[in-house]
Amino acid sequence: MSSPAPVLESRLDLRLLHRGKVRDVYEVDSETLLMVASDRVSAFDVILPQAIPFKGEVLTLITAWWLKQLERVLPHHLLAVDPDVIVERHPDLSASRDVWARRAMLVRRTRPVLVECVVRGYITGSAWKEYAKTGTLAGEALAKGLAESQKLEPPIFSPATKAQTGHDENITFGEVQKLLGHELAGRLRDLTLRVYEYGRDVANGHGIILADTKLEFGHDSSGALLLIDEVLTPDSSRFWPKESYAVGRGQPSLDKQPIRDWLDTVPGWNKTPPAPDLPPAVVQATSERYQDVFRRLTGTKLSSYQPPHFGPGA
Protein backbone atom coordinates (compact mmCIF):
# COMPACT_ATOMS: atom_id res chain seq x y z
CA MET A 1 0.00 0.00 0.00
CA SER A 2 1.64 3.21 -1.15
CA SER A 3 1.44 6.35 0.91
CA PRO A 4 3.20 9.65 1.51
CA ALA A 5 6.12 9.41 3.91
CA PRO A 6 5.21 9.02 7.59
CA VAL A 7 4.80 12.30 9.47
CA LEU A 8 6.78 12.44 12.69
CA GLU A 9 6.11 16.15 13.19
CA SER A 10 3.91 18.45 11.12
CA ARG A 11 4.91 22.03 10.34
CA LEU A 12 2.14 24.17 8.89
CA ASP A 13 1.90 27.88 8.19
CA LEU A 14 -0.55 28.28 11.06
CA ARG A 15 -0.18 29.18 14.72
CA LEU A 16 0.78 26.02 16.61
CA LEU A 17 -1.18 25.86 19.87
CA HIS A 18 -0.05 22.50 21.18
CA ARG A 19 2.16 19.59 20.19
CA GLY A 20 1.17 16.53 22.18
CA LYS A 21 2.33 12.94 22.18
CA VAL A 22 0.53 12.36 18.87
CA ARG A 23 -1.44 15.44 17.77
CA ASP A 24 -0.33 18.85 16.58
CA VAL A 25 -3.10 21.41 17.14
CA TYR A 26 -3.18 24.56 15.02
CA GLU A 27 -5.34 27.68 15.16
CA VAL A 28 -7.23 28.26 11.90
CA ASP A 29 -9.33 31.15 13.22
CA SER A 30 -10.97 32.22 16.47
CA GLU A 31 -13.60 29.46 16.27
CA THR A 32 -11.78 26.68 14.43
CA LEU A 33 -8.77 24.41 14.96
CA LEU A 34 -6.93 21.92 12.76
CA MET A 35 -5.95 18.79 14.69
CA VAL A 36 -3.23 16.88 12.83
CA ALA A 37 -2.60 13.30 13.96
CA SER A 38 1.08 12.58 13.36
CA ASP A 39 2.59 9.11 13.11
CA ARG A 40 4.38 9.59 16.43
CA VAL A 41 3.97 6.82 18.94
CA SER A 42 4.57 6.71 22.67
CA ALA A 43 4.95 3.83 25.08
CA PHE A 44 5.27 4.04 28.85
CA ASP A 45 4.66 7.81 28.36
CA VAL A 46 7.85 8.17 26.29
CA ILE A 47 7.75 9.23 22.62
CA LEU A 48 9.63 6.77 20.42
CA PRO A 49 12.15 7.92 17.76
CA GLN A 50 10.45 6.20 14.82
CA ALA A 51 7.11 7.02 13.20
CA ILE A 52 4.50 4.31 12.61
CA PRO A 53 3.26 4.47 9.00
CA PHE A 54 -0.51 5.09 8.63
CA LYS A 55 -1.05 5.50 12.38
CA GLY A 56 -2.20 9.13 12.20
CA GLU A 57 -4.44 8.34 9.26
CA VAL A 58 -6.07 5.48 11.19
CA LEU A 59 -6.66 7.62 14.29
CA THR A 60 -8.28 10.43 12.31
CA LEU A 61 -10.41 8.35 9.96
CA ILE A 62 -11.59 5.89 12.61
CA THR A 63 -12.64 8.84 14.79
CA ALA A 64 -14.61 10.29 11.86
CA TRP A 65 -16.18 6.87 11.20
CA TRP A 66 -17.44 6.66 14.78
CA LEU A 67 -18.55 10.29 15.02
CA LYS A 68 -20.69 9.99 11.90
CA GLN A 69 -22.61 7.22 13.64
CA LEU A 70 -22.68 8.96 17.01
CA GLU A 71 -24.31 12.13 15.66
CA ARG A 72 -27.65 10.67 16.69
CA VAL A 73 -26.36 10.14 20.23
CA LEU A 74 -24.65 13.44 21.09
CA PRO A 75 -23.12 16.55 19.48
CA HIS A 76 -19.40 16.67 18.67
CA HIS A 77 -16.76 19.15 17.51
CA LEU A 78 -15.85 17.67 14.10
CA LEU A 79 -16.60 19.96 11.15
CA ALA A 80 -14.73 18.21 8.35
CA VAL A 81 -12.19 15.45 7.74
CA ASP A 82 -12.40 15.12 3.96
CA PRO A 83 -9.37 17.03 2.57
CA ASP A 84 -11.43 18.49 -0.29
CA VAL A 85 -13.95 19.93 2.15
CA ILE A 86 -11.23 21.34 4.41
CA VAL A 87 -9.53 23.09 1.49
CA GLU A 88 -12.88 24.38 0.23
CA ARG A 89 -13.52 25.98 3.62
CA HIS A 90 -9.94 27.20 4.07
CA PRO A 91 -8.15 27.53 0.70
CA ASP A 92 -4.92 28.68 2.37
CA LEU A 93 -4.42 25.10 3.62
CA SER A 94 -4.09 23.72 0.08
CA ALA A 95 -0.32 24.36 -0.07
CA SER A 96 0.35 22.02 2.87
CA ARG A 97 -2.27 19.43 1.91
CA ASP A 98 0.27 16.61 1.41
CA VAL A 99 1.26 16.91 5.09
CA TRP A 100 -2.20 16.85 6.70
CA ALA A 101 -4.54 15.14 4.21
CA ARG A 102 -6.51 12.22 5.76
CA ARG A 103 -4.78 12.78 9.11
CA ALA A 104 -6.35 16.15 10.03
CA MET A 105 -9.69 17.10 11.58
CA LEU A 106 -11.14 20.56 11.20
CA VAL A 107 -12.92 21.06 14.49
CA ARG A 108 -14.92 23.60 16.44
CA ARG A 109 -12.82 25.22 19.15
CA THR A 110 -13.85 24.31 22.69
CA ARG A 111 -12.82 24.78 26.28
CA PRO A 112 -11.92 21.24 27.38
CA VAL A 113 -13.40 19.72 30.52
CA LEU A 114 -10.38 18.88 32.68
CA VAL A 115 -11.43 15.32 33.46
CA GLU A 116 -10.73 12.18 31.42
CA CYS A 117 -13.98 10.26 31.04
CA VAL A 118 -13.14 6.57 31.18
CA VAL A 119 -15.45 3.57 31.02
CA ARG A 120 -14.15 0.16 31.99
CA GLY A 121 -16.11 -2.82 30.68
CA TYR A 122 -13.41 -5.29 31.69
CA ILE A 123 -10.91 -5.12 34.53
CA THR A 124 -7.44 -4.68 33.08
CA GLY A 125 -4.51 -2.27 32.99
CA SER A 126 -4.11 0.13 35.91
CA ALA A 127 -7.53 -0.86 37.27
CA TRP A 128 -6.44 -4.50 37.54
CA LYS A 129 -3.15 -3.54 39.16
CA GLU A 130 -4.93 -1.57 41.88
CA TYR A 131 -7.62 -4.19 42.37
CA ALA A 132 -5.08 -7.01 42.65
CA LYS A 133 -3.35 -5.12 45.46
CA THR A 134 -6.27 -3.64 47.37
CA GLY A 135 -9.58 -4.86 45.93
CA THR A 136 -10.44 -1.25 45.00
CA LEU A 137 -10.60 1.13 42.03
CA ALA A 138 -9.68 4.75 42.81
CA GLY A 139 -9.95 3.74 46.47
CA GLU A 140 -13.52 2.42 46.20
CA ALA A 141 -14.23 -1.26 46.80
CA LEU A 142 -15.15 -3.51 43.88
CA ALA A 143 -16.78 -6.93 44.00
CA LYS A 144 -14.59 -9.65 45.50
CA GLY A 145 -13.12 -12.48 43.47
CA LEU A 146 -12.65 -10.72 40.12
CA ALA A 147 -10.05 -12.19 37.75
CA GLU A 148 -7.84 -10.29 35.34
CA SER A 149 -9.68 -9.32 32.12
CA GLN A 150 -13.05 -10.34 33.58
CA LYS A 151 -16.13 -8.54 32.24
CA LEU A 152 -17.59 -5.94 34.59
CA GLU A 153 -21.37 -5.96 34.93
CA PRO A 154 -22.38 -3.19 34.57
CA PRO A 155 -19.49 -1.21 33.04
CA ILE A 156 -17.87 1.24 35.45
CA PHE A 157 -17.46 4.98 34.88
CA SER A 158 -13.89 5.45 36.05
CA PRO A 159 -12.79 9.09 35.57
CA ALA A 160 -9.23 10.35 35.80
CA THR A 161 -7.43 13.62 36.10
CA LYS A 162 -5.87 15.02 32.90
CA ALA A 163 -2.12 14.93 33.39
CA GLN A 164 0.05 17.18 31.20
CA THR A 165 2.96 14.81 31.72
CA GLY A 166 3.11 11.29 33.12
CA HIS A 167 0.14 9.10 33.94
CA ASP A 168 -3.42 10.24 34.52
CA GLU A 169 -4.66 9.47 38.03
CA ASN A 170 -7.91 7.60 38.68
CA ILE A 171 -10.41 9.56 40.77
CA THR A 172 -13.87 8.79 42.15
CA PHE A 173 -17.14 10.04 40.72
CA GLY A 174 -17.61 11.97 43.96
CA GLU A 175 -14.37 13.84 43.28
CA VAL A 176 -15.62 14.70 39.78
CA GLN A 177 -18.81 16.09 41.33
CA LYS A 178 -16.71 18.30 43.60
CA LEU A 179 -14.57 19.49 40.68
CA LEU A 180 -17.30 20.10 38.11
CA GLY A 181 -20.61 20.16 39.99
CA HIS A 182 -23.26 17.45 40.24
CA GLU A 183 -25.11 18.31 37.01
CA LEU A 184 -22.10 18.33 34.67
CA ALA A 185 -20.57 15.28 36.35
CA GLY A 186 -23.80 13.35 35.84
CA ARG A 187 -24.04 14.37 32.18
CA LEU A 188 -20.45 13.32 31.53
CA ARG A 189 -21.01 9.94 33.17
CA ASP A 190 -24.23 9.25 31.29
CA LEU A 191 -22.88 10.34 27.89
CA THR A 192 -19.65 8.40 28.33
CA LEU A 193 -21.55 5.23 29.20
CA ARG A 194 -23.82 5.69 26.17
CA VAL A 195 -20.86 6.06 23.82
CA TYR A 196 -19.11 3.06 25.36
CA GLU A 197 -22.21 0.87 25.10
CA TYR A 198 -22.73 1.88 21.47
CA GLY A 199 -19.08 1.21 20.61
CA ARG A 200 -19.08 -2.08 22.52
CA ASP A 201 -22.09 -3.37 20.60
CA VAL A 202 -20.72 -2.31 17.21
CA ALA A 203 -17.28 -3.77 17.94
CA ASN A 204 -18.81 -7.02 19.17
CA GLY A 205 -20.51 -7.43 15.80
CA HIS A 206 -17.09 -7.24 14.16
CA GLY A 207 -15.40 -9.82 16.38
CA ILE A 208 -13.80 -7.28 18.72
CA ILE A 209 -14.15 -6.74 22.46
CA LEU A 210 -14.07 -3.08 23.54
CA ALA A 211 -12.52 -3.53 26.96
CA ASP A 212 -12.44 0.15 27.90
CA THR A 213 -12.29 3.59 26.38
CA LYS A 214 -11.37 7.17 27.25
CA LEU A 215 -13.38 10.16 26.03
CA GLU A 216 -12.94 13.91 26.28
CA PHE A 217 -15.53 16.67 26.29
CA GLY A 218 -15.45 20.44 25.90
CA HIS A 219 -17.74 23.47 25.85
CA ASP A 220 -17.97 25.57 22.70
CA SER A 221 -18.33 29.36 22.65
CA SER A 222 -22.10 29.05 23.18
CA GLY A 223 -21.64 26.81 26.21
CA ALA A 224 -22.78 23.61 24.49
CA LEU A 225 -21.13 20.39 25.70
CA LEU A 226 -19.44 18.55 22.83
CA LEU A 227 -17.57 15.27 22.43
CA ILE A 228 -14.04 16.23 21.35
CA ASP A 229 -10.65 14.82 20.34
CA GLU A 230 -10.23 11.19 19.25
CA VAL A 231 -13.08 8.74 19.76
CA LEU A 232 -12.92 4.94 20.11
CA THR A 233 -9.48 4.65 18.51
CA PRO A 234 -6.73 2.09 19.24
CA ASP A 235 -4.90 4.83 21.17
CA SER A 236 -7.85 5.74 23.40
CA SER A 237 -9.39 2.28 23.79
CA ARG A 238 -8.45 -1.32 24.37
CA PHE A 239 -9.64 -3.49 21.48
CA TRP A 240 -9.24 -7.25 22.00
CA PRO A 241 -9.82 -9.92 19.34
CA LYS A 242 -12.76 -12.05 20.52
CA GLU A 243 -11.18 -15.22 19.16
CA SER A 244 -8.28 -15.08 21.63
CA TYR A 245 -10.10 -13.75 24.72
CA ALA A 246 -9.74 -15.69 27.96
CA VAL A 247 -10.33 -14.64 31.57
CA GLY A 248 -7.44 -14.79 34.01
CA ARG A 249 -4.64 -13.28 31.94
CA GLY A 250 -3.69 -10.24 29.89
CA GLN A 251 -5.07 -10.05 26.34
CA PRO A 252 -3.43 -9.37 22.98
CA SER A 253 -4.48 -5.88 21.87
CA LEU A 254 -5.11 -4.41 18.42
CA ASP A 255 -2.81 -1.46 19.05
CA LYS A 256 0.85 -0.72 19.76
CA GLN A 257 1.38 -3.92 21.76
CA PRO A 258 4.34 -5.03 19.57
CA ILE A 259 6.21 -1.93 20.72
CA ARG A 260 5.47 -2.49 24.41
CA ASP A 261 6.43 -6.16 24.10
CA TRP A 262 9.73 -5.33 22.41
CA LEU A 263 10.60 -2.55 24.85
CA ASP A 264 10.12 -4.97 27.74
CA THR A 265 13.00 -7.02 26.31
CA VAL A 266 15.47 -4.11 25.99
CA PRO A 267 18.16 -4.52 28.65
CA GLY A 268 18.98 -1.48 30.72
CA TRP A 269 16.18 0.82 29.50
CA ASN A 270 14.35 2.25 32.52
CA LYS A 271 11.29 3.59 30.61
CA THR A 272 12.54 7.18 30.62
CA PRO A 273 13.74 9.30 27.67
CA PRO A 274 15.54 8.79 25.42
CA ALA A 275 13.80 5.70 24.08
CA PRO A 276 15.72 3.11 22.06
CA ASP A 277 15.33 2.91 18.29
CA LEU A 278 12.60 0.53 17.15
CA PRO A 279 13.60 -2.30 14.80
CA PRO A 280 11.94 -2.14 11.35
CA ALA A 281 10.04 -5.37 12.04
CA VAL A 282 8.43 -3.86 15.17
CA VAL A 283 7.48 -0.70 13.28
CA GLN A 284 5.88 -2.79 10.52
CA ALA A 285 4.03 -5.08 12.95
CA THR A 286 2.62 -2.07 14.81
CA SER A 287 1.51 -0.38 11.59
CA GLU A 288 -0.24 -3.59 10.57
CA ARG A 289 -2.08 -3.74 13.93
CA TYR A 290 -3.51 -0.25 13.44
CA GLN A 291 -4.57 -0.99 9.88
CA ASP A 292 -6.08 -4.31 10.95
CA VAL A 293 -8.37 -2.82 13.59
CA PHE A 294 -9.49 -0.21 11.07
CA ARG A 295 -10.35 -2.91 8.52
CA ARG A 296 -12.08 -5.08 11.11
CA LEU A 297 -14.31 -2.26 12.31
CA THR A 298 -15.11 -0.47 9.06
CA GLY A 299 -14.99 -3.43 6.71
CA THR A 300 -12.81 -1.33 4.39
CA LYS A 301 -9.10 -1.15 3.70
CA LEU A 302 -7.57 2.11 4.82
CA SER A 303 -6.34 2.90 1.30
CA SER A 304 -9.84 2.73 -0.20
CA TYR A 305 -11.81 4.38 2.62
CA GLN A 306 -13.67 7.57 1.70
CA PRO A 307 -14.04 9.98 4.64
CA PRO A 308 -17.61 10.89 5.62
CA HIS A 309 -19.01 14.38 5.21
CA PHE A 310 -20.42 16.33 8.13
CA GLY A 311 -23.17 18.89 7.84
CA PRO A 312 -22.76 22.53 8.83
CA GLY A 313 -24.57 21.83 12.10
CA ALA A 314 -22.23 19.01 13.12
Side-chain angles (χ1 to χ4, degrees):
M1 175 173 152
S2 62
S3 170
V7 175
L8 192 58
E9 184 175 280
S10 69
R11 294 190 180 277
L12 306 183
D13 191 21
L14 293 170
R15 181 188 174 202
L16 178 67
L17 296 181
H18 177 68
R19 200 183 298 280
K21 291 178 183 175
V22 174
R23 282 170 183 76
D24 302 333
V25 182
Y26 296 90
E27 180 182 71
V28 178
D29 54 43
S30 62
E31 295 291 328
T32 311
L33 306 176
L34 192 74
M35 299 180 67
V36 181
S38 73
D39 295 315
R40 292 193 295 275
V41 64
S42 66
F44 308 111
D45 291 315
V46 178
I47 296 176
L48 280 297
Q50 283 72 36
I52 304 300
F54 308 111
K55 178 177 181 284
E57 199 172 330
V58 166
L59 297 182
T60 292
L61 295 181
I62 209 167
T63 292
W65 184 79
W66 283 112
L67 286 179
K68 190 63 181 177
Q69 301 171 69
L70 287 166
E71 285 182 332
R72 66 180 75 97
V73 177
L74 77 171
H76 58 75
H77 72 156
L78 183 54
L79 298 170
V81 71
D82 186 309
D84 291 338
V85 176
I86 293 175
V87 168
E88 181 181 343
R89 296 190 183 191
H90 297 281
D92 53 319
L93 289 171
S94 61
S96 56
R97 178 174 174 142
D98 287 349
V99 175
W100 57 259
R102 292 174 64 89
R103 63 173 66 250
M105 299 191 299
L106 187 69
V107 302
R108 185 172 289 116
R109 196 167 191 164
T110 66
R111 178 170 48 84
V113 175
L114 297 181
V115 169
E116 299 277 10
C117 294
V118 180
V119 175
R120 301 182 186 276
Y122 294 74
I123 187 162
T124 186
S126 63
W128 168 250
K129 290 179 181 178
E130 179 183 339
Y131 177 82
K133 289 181 179 179
T134 64
T136 63
L137 176 57
E140 295 188 321
L142 295 182
K144 295 182 179 180
L146 295 175
E148 184 176 7
S149 302
Q150 185 171 335
K151 188 174 185 179
L152 296 168
E153 294 282 10
I156 296 174
F157 179 62
S158 174
T161 57
K162 285 174 64 70
Q164 296 300 312
T165 59
H167 292 284
D168 297 335
E169 181 179 346
N170 296 330
I171 58 176
T172 66
F173 180 63
E175 289 173 307
V176 177
Q177 290 177 312
K178 291 179 181 177
L179 284 171
L180 304 177
H182 285 244
E183 181 180 358
L184 179 55
R187 288 182 68 197
L188 292 172
R189 176 195 59 198
D190 295 347
L191 288 172
T192 303
L193 287 166
R194 286 182 68 188
V195 172
Y196 171 77
E197 289 163 1
Y198 181 88
R200 176 198 61 194
D201 294 346
V202 171
N204 184 64
H206 293 270
I208 295 172
I209 293 171
L210 177 58
D212 55 38
T213 197
K214 176 178 67 176
L215 301 177
E216 296 194 40
F217 293 84
H219 291 97
D220 69 10
S221 58
S222 71
L225 183 67
L226 306 180
L227 181 60
I228 66 171
D229 205 48
E230 63 184 317
V231 176
L232 296 169
T233 73
D235 274 14
S236 66
S237 313
R238 282 188 177 90
F239 291 115
W240 295 339
K242 284 174 66 175
E243 66 268 18
S244 58
Y245 172 70
V247 177
R249 59 166 173 79
Q251 311 299 313
S253 296
L254 296 168
D255 58 12
K256 55 191 173 186
Q257 183 178 341
I259 292 175
R260 291 190 293 262
D261 290 347
W262 181 80
L263 288 172
D264 279 335
T265 70
V266 176
W269 188 57
N270 62 357
K271 297 182 172 58
T272 60
D277 287 329
L278 297 173
V282 173
V283 171
Q284 180 178 347
T286 305
S287 179
E288 289 172 354
R289 289 280 182 106
Y290 278 89
Q291 294 174 72
D292 182 43
V293 73
F294 184 90
R295 180 193 55 78
R296 286 188 185 220
L297 283 172
T298 67
T300 307
K301 287 185 177 181
L302 184 64
S303 59
S304 57
Y305 181 72
Q306 296 301 310
H309 284 205
F310 295 87

